[in-house]
Amino acid sequence: MVPGLNKLRVAIGSSAAIGLRALAKLPYGPQLIRAAASRPGIERWLRALLCVYQPFPDIDTATKYIRRFIPAGHEHSDVVSQLKRFADVTRESDYPVLFYLSGYAPGLSTVFDLGGGIGNLFYPYDRELRLPATLRWMVHDLPDKEEIVLQFAKSRNEQRVGFSRRMEDASGVDLFIVSGALHYFEDELAVILGRLPQLPRLVVVNRTPFSQADPIVTTQVGDGYVHACKLHSLAGTIAGMEAIGYRFVAKWPVHERASRVPLRPDLNDTYWGLFFVLDADRRQTAASR
């Protein structure tokens, strides 16, 4: 498709999404949107109008579609620049994590940071919690992030931060953390962790958009880039973690960001943070394998 036409399609989609989100805030707005979307002909027209702002059946389908209009995703230079700035900031939604981790921090030896960007989360946590000198903080992200992670750590004279290419390195770690990244994975958190030989002791989920009911795939659109993402069910995520042996400790709302699916306002929810601790019996069972 012609680049100029691509931009026009995305711009029209943005305007349509803004309009539907405004309508969803009005009395009976969500009902009107659902009624329109329930009619096949109208739904097809709305999806075409929304372009990259429409819902999708899965992340792979969404990614293939949106790349026709916006080629750049997580590798965009603006994303990396923003992550570098975040390394120097303790954001509002970090404080609940710091509160729940404070009692565990002195004993942490291994951390697995899923979708950890450039390792930027380590730096505010270390400033606030004074993490152990022997800590090993492993960032797991796209392969192109490895050199950036290592170079950024070197620039900070930090030897505790490294890069992991294997999910298996999360097996049995003291802390598994996924902040601002769970929605980029198709699988539920319990499924991801359930593949590991040994479950992590502590699990933190933060800055994650969820659905009020059924999961739904949508997109996050920035200036020159777009990501496909999945809003997992909040209740389903908690239930799944409990089913594999975790105790649900706390959740907190994250108001820094919002994700609104124009055609499914009934599923829209805020971003949330969650904290889980592996039951002692499960830890002992895993240790004896």
Side-chain angles (χ1 to χ4, degrees), residues 95-142:
Y95 286 100
V97 181
L98 296 171
F99 173 79
Y100 289 107
L101 280 183
S102 59
Y104 297 98
L108 295 178
S109 61
T110 50
V111 177
F112 191 89
D113 187 359
L114 177 63
I118 62 169
N120 45 283
L121 200 60
F122 165 83
Y123 301 95
Y125 281 26
D126 185 45
R127 285 195 302 271
E128 302 291 343
L129 296 175
R130 299 184 182 277
L131 296 171
T134 56
L135 178 75
R136 186 161 59 102
W137 185 292
M138 295 173 284
V139 176
H140 181 77
D141 209 299
L142 297 173

Side-chain angles (χ1 to χ4, degrees), residues 36-59:
S38 67
R39 297 175 179 271
I42 297 177
E43 185 195 27
R44 285 194 296 271
W45 178 78
L46 286 172
R47 284 179 176 273
L49 189 67
L50 286 166
C51 191
V52 299
Y53 294 87
Q54 65 177 292
F56 296 89
D58 54 62
I59 288 180

Side-chain angles (χ1 to χ4, degrees), residues 9-250:
R9 287 284 309 278
V10 173
I12 292 172
S14 176
S15 298
I18 291 171
L20 286 172
R21 287 165 182 156
L23 176 59
K25 295 178 181 179
L26 299 176
Y28 304 108
Q31 293 92 322
L32 288 172
I33 293 171
R34 291 299 298 141
S38 67
R39 297 175 179 271
I42 297 177
E43 185 195 27
R44 285 194 296 271
W45 178 78
L46 286 172
R47 284 179 176 273
L49 189 67
L50 286 166
C51 191
V52 299
Y53 294 87
Q54 65 177 292
F56 296 89
D58 54 62
I59 288 180
D60 185 56
T61 301
T63 300
K64 290 177 181 177
Y65 179 85
I66 63 181
R67 288 292 165 261
R68 293 163 48 191
F69 298 92
I70 305 177
H74 294 281
E75 75 283 357
H76 195 280
S77 59
D78 285 355
V79 176
V80 174
S81 298
Q82 185 181 54
L83 293 175
K84 289 181 177 180
R85 293 193 296 271
F86 283 155
D88 295 317
V89 177
T90 304
R91 289 181 273 176
E92 178 185 343
S93 55
D94 287 321
Y95 286 100
V97 181
L98 296 171
F99 173 79
Y100 289 107
L101 280 183
S102 59
Y104 297 98
L108 295 178
S109 61
T110 50
V111 177
F112 191 89
D113 187 359
L114 177 63
I118 62 169
N120 45 283
L121 200 60
F122 165 83
Y123 301 95
Y125 281 26
D126 185 45
R127 285 195 302 271
E128 302 291 343
L129 296 175
R130 299 184 182 277
L131 296 171
T134 56
L135 178 75
R136 186 161 59 102
W137 185 292
M138 295 173 284
V139 176
H140 181 77
D141 209 299
L142 297 173
D144 66 294
K145 294 287 198 307
E146 181 171 8
E147 187 63 26
I148 301 173
V149 169
L150 299 179
Q151 287 296 327
F152 190 67
K154 184 178 180 180
S155 72
R156 298 293 179 107
N157 195 30
E158 182 53 67
Q159 299 181 347
R160 289 171 289 178
V161 178
F163 191 88
S164 168
R165 288 176 173 261
R166 307 182 326 129
M167 270 298 304
E168 292 81 0
D169 290 336
S171 179
V173 295
D174 293 322
L175 170 62
F176 180 99
I177 186 163
V178 52
S179 182
L182 181 61
H183 46 297
Y184 300 134
F185 292 85
E186 187 72 48
D187 289 332
E188 300 288 339
L189 179 59
V191 173
I192 294 172
L193 295 179
R195 297 192 185 106
L196 299 174
Q198 186 174 345
L199 293 171
R201 182 164 63 104
L202 308 172
V203 175
V204 168
V205 178
N206 203 21
R207 289 193 277 273
T208 298
F210 284 100
S211 165
Q212 292 185 19
D214 300 330
I216 187 167
V217 174
T218 183
T219 56
Q220 291 180 330
V221 184
D223 186 11
Y225 60 89
V226 60
H227 311 312
C229 62
K230 183 175 183 178
L231 279 60
H232 296 278
S233 164
L234 179 60
T237 297
I238 295 171
M241 291 293 285
E242 291 177 330
I244 63 172
Y246 282 93
R247 176 168 53 89
F248 172 52
V249 176

